[in-house]
């Protein structure tokens, strides 16, 4: 998955162009920048590739989530449905928005199921933070239907699934608002960065304003701009955006390599009866950054993960026991522990997060592991994995 595996001269040239001709700040300074606008350039490339009306760059995938929530009108006291299998940022962004995370069950797609979502809807539910984990999607028609039926905002976190599609539409563009991450280990890396995607004019305007102290970005004089809303500083720098410009041009190549490498491993594994794969409702749209396997039992999954490590196969993730990706292990989130009092502490009837139960998700995730699909693998690297499978699987 990591785009940094393909870093070459083009990223350096892009950054140099900013340092030599352009300016570090994404707005204004028209007289100094010789028409170098890297953030704008990357935004327009993203819109073209993903066929979305607006892409607004921010400083990270996490600030993209915060911006997306605020821009879609999600705030204090609103309930937002999230999966227990995700990256912690999904939950942090909701809590820092003053909203209430509500955990729902995933299914064998490793993403929220429509039934899981429907089971936890209350009159306070405002949005679903749908996370396209490990590069692929869930049953999006069903998910969208539930959101529409209950008038919920569908926020798609496509931070791990840049370039993935569902029935021809880019992940991150199916709901009202979506997010991408370009951090150091994502499909496209620009060091640190993220994007908010939307076809909704109001959400877009809120997004560029919110991520830049509420500036309306009208005219050439920043000091004279008005501020329709409050915001903060979640801006991306021109240097980061420049790296992203070079990386984005490699997206097709990255997806092609990932899909080829993943196919080789998946084909090799499909002969073993004990192996089931994560369900991918639209295989053709898989970003293919990971290969996820669901074993018959938790004990066997742990045994296989251990055996693969003993065969020196790196980057095999057993998420159920990992500190970053599963609710069970997030004591700081179960205890809602911040450095200071959190808005959610003012809500008397908030959930007790030490008592959240997601048995279906536990069952699936305790049997699941994923392998990172690298861009730099040689034929020999792939064969080494296939040989290891032959030793480890029945
Ligand atoms: C990486 C990631 C984020 C956060 O992105 P950053 O750019 O690291 O802040 C959010 N959600 C998911 C699912 C991620 O994998």
């Amino acid at each position: 998955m990591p785009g940094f595996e393909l870093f070459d001269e083009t990223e350096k040239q892009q950054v140099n162009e900013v340092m030599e001709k352009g300016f570090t700040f994404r707005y204004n300074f028209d007289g100094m920048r010789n028409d170098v606008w890297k953030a704008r350039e990357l935004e327009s490339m993203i819109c073209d590739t993903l066929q979305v009306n607006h892409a607004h760059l921010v400083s990270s995938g996490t600030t993209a989530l915060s911006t997306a929530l605020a821009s879609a009108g999600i705030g204090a006291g609103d309930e937002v449905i999230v999966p227990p299998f995700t990256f912690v940022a999904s939950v942090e962004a909701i809590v820092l928005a003053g909203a209430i995370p509500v955990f729902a069950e995933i299914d064998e797609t490793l993403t929220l199921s429509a039934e899981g979502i429907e089971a936890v809807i209350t009159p306070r539910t405002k949005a679903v933070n749908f996370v396209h984990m490990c590069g692929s999607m869930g049953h999006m028609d069903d998910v969208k239907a539930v959101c529409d039926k209950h008038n919920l905002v569908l926020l798609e976190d496509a931070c791990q699934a840049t370039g993935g599609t569902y029935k021809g539409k880019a992940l991150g563009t199916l709901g009202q608002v979506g997010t991408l991450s370009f951090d150091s280990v994502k499909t496209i890396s620009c060091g640190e960065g993220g994007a908010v995607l939307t076809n909704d004019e109001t959400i877009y305007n809120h997004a560029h304003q919110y991520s830049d102290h509420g500036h309306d970005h009208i005219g050439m004089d920043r000091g004279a701009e008005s501020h329709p809303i409050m915001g903060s500083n979640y801006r991306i720098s021109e240097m980061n955006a420049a790296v992203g410009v070079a990386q984005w041009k490699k997206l097709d190549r990255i997806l092609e390599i990932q899909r080829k490498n993943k196919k080789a491993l998946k084909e090799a594994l499909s002969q073993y009866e004990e192996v089931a794969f994560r369900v991918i409702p639209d295989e053709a749209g898989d970003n293919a950054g990971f290969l996820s396997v669901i074993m018959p039992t938790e004990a066997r999954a742990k045994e296989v993960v251990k055996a693969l490590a003993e065969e020196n196969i790196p980057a095999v993730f057993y998420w159920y026991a990992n500190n970053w990706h599963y609710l069970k292990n997030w004591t700081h989130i179960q205890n809602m522990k911040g450095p200071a009092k959190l808005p959610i502490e003012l809500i008397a009837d908030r959930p007790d997060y030490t008592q959240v139960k997601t048995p279906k998700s536990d069952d699936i995730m305790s049997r699941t592991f994923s392998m990172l699909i690298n861009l730099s693998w040689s034929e020999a690297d792939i064969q080494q994995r296939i040989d290891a499978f032959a030793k480890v699987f029945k």
Side-chain angles (χ1 to χ4, degrees):
M1 169 161 93
F4 73 75
E5 292 182 275
L6 300 188
F7 276 173
D8 58 24
E9 285 306 309
T10 57
E11 281 82 5
K12 292 180 200 163
Q13 280 162 10
Q14 285 290 338
V15 178
N16 277 343
E17 198 185 335
V18 174
M19 299 311 289
E20 285 162 13
K21 280 178 66 192
F23 192 64
T24 53
F25 195 67
R26 71 156 297 174
Y27 295 111
N28 309 91
F29 294 90
D30 295 46
M32 281 177 65
R33 63 193 313 141
N34 298 301
D35 230 18
V36 175
W37 299 94
K38 293 301 174 190
R40 284 192 195 171
E41 190 180 344
L42 179 53
E43 285 165 354
S44 122
M45 289 163 71
I46 294 172
C47 289
D48 275 357
T49 312
L50 303 187
Q51 291 294 298
V52 65
N53 289 351
H54 304 287
H56 180 69
L57 291 174
V58 288
S59 55
S60 70
T62 306
T63 55
L65 286 170
S66 291
T67 303
L69 287 165
S71 301
I74 314 301
D78 294 334
E79 288 182 4
V80 181
I81 295 171
V82 274
F85 173 48
T86 182
F87 178 56
V88 276
S90 310
V91 185
E92 291 164 345
I94 296 167
V95 174
L96 295 179
I100 307 169
V102 174
F103 291 92
E105 296 276 23
I106 62 168
D107 60 18
E108 282 77 7
T109 65
L110 307 189
T111 65
L112 285 172
S113 67
E115 307 79 72
I117 292 169
E118 197 146 38
V120 298
I121 292 173
T122 75
R124 285 204 296 212
T125 311
K126 283 285 175 59
V128 174
N129 183 359
F130 188 94
V131 189
H132 297 288
M133 279 305 277
C134 304
S136 347
M137 74 300 298
H139 295 287
M140 301 316 295
D141 287 339
D142 301 341
V143 167
K144 223 169 135 34
V146 172
C147 291
D148 290 346
K149 180 173 152 201
H150 297 275
N151 206 14
L152 307 179
V153 170
L154 174 55
L155 158 59
E156 281 176 276
D157 177 340
C159 288
Q160 295 190 4
T162 299
T165 56
Y166 177 73
K167 298 188 177 174
K169 283 193 169 170
L171 302 181
T173 70
L174 308 169
Q176 284 86 338
V177 63
T179 60
L180 302 177
S181 164
F182 307 132
D183 81 22
S184 292
V185 294
K186 295 287 160 58
T187 307
I188 293 292
S189 172
C190 70
E192 297 282 3
V196 178
L197 311 174
T198 187
N199 287 311
D200 183 303
E201 204 73 28
T202 305
I203 292 178
Y204 169 65
N205 283 324
H206 284 160
H208 71 74
Q209 291 163 2
Y210 185 74
S211 57
D212 185 25
H213 306 295
H215 275 267
D216 65 5
H217 301 127
I218 294 171
M220 305 248 295
D221 180 0
R222 189 165 168 84
E225 285 179 14
S226 62
H227 306 84
I229 57 171
M230 277 185 18
S232 187
N233 171 11
Y234 295 158
R235 292 184 306 260
I236 195 166
S237 82
E238 283 283 283
M239 284 86 78
N240 290 92
V243 177
V245 167
Q247 281 269 291
W248 194 267
K249 292 179 181 166
K250 298 172 182 171
L251 179 60
D252 285 346
R253 199 169 121 211
I254 289 172
L255 295 175
E256 195 186 308
I257 299 170
Q258 285 180 176
R259 286 168 178 161
K260 180 176 125 294
N261 289 350
K262 178 169 175 175
K263 188 159 173 264
L265 296 194
K266 199 168 175 179
E267 271 173 15
L269 278 181
S270 55
Q271 61 182 298
Y272 304 107
E273 218 165 282
E274 62 174 345
V275 168
F277 297 107
R278 169 215 184 132
V279 172
I280 301 178
D282 182 359
E283 281 282 350
D286 183 10
N287 145 306
F290 289 89
L291 172 59
S292 299
V293 171
I294 308 180
M295 300 300 293
T297 64
E298 176 175 355
R300 184 63 183 139
K302 284 181 175 161
E303 198 174 277
V304 163
V305 168
K306 190 160 165 277
L308 287 170
E310 280 159 9
E311 293 298 320
N312 294 316
I313 304 300
V316 176
F317 302 107
Y318 182 59
W319 310 107
Y320 192 59
N322 135 332
N323 277 340
W324 283 9
H325 294 89
Y326 203 70
L327 170 66
K328 175 174 81 72
N329 309 316
W330 296 334
T331 47
H332 62 308
I333 284 182
Q334 287 165 13
N335 297 318
M336 281 292 148
K337 187 160 172 41
K341 190 169 185 170
L342 295 166
I344 194 168
E345 293 177 51
L346 299 177
I347 301 168
D349 59 346
R350 68 186 177 274
D352 176 355
Y353 292 98
T354 62
Q355 299 304 315
V356 176
K357 299 270 182 286
T358 50
K360 173 145 201 229
S361 307
D362 290 353
D363 171 52
I364 295 167
M365 292 314 299
S366 66
R367 294 184 288 118
T368 299
F369 67 90
S370 306
M371 280 174 272
L372 183 70
I373 305 296
N374 283 93
L375 301 169
S376 54
W377 283 346
S378 62
E379 291 299 322
D381 292 325
I382 293 174
Q383 195 55 49
Q384 184 211 352
R385 284 163 177 80
I386 294 174
D387 293 343
F389 297 161
K391 285 196 192 163
V392 169
F393 290 99
K394 290 180 191 142

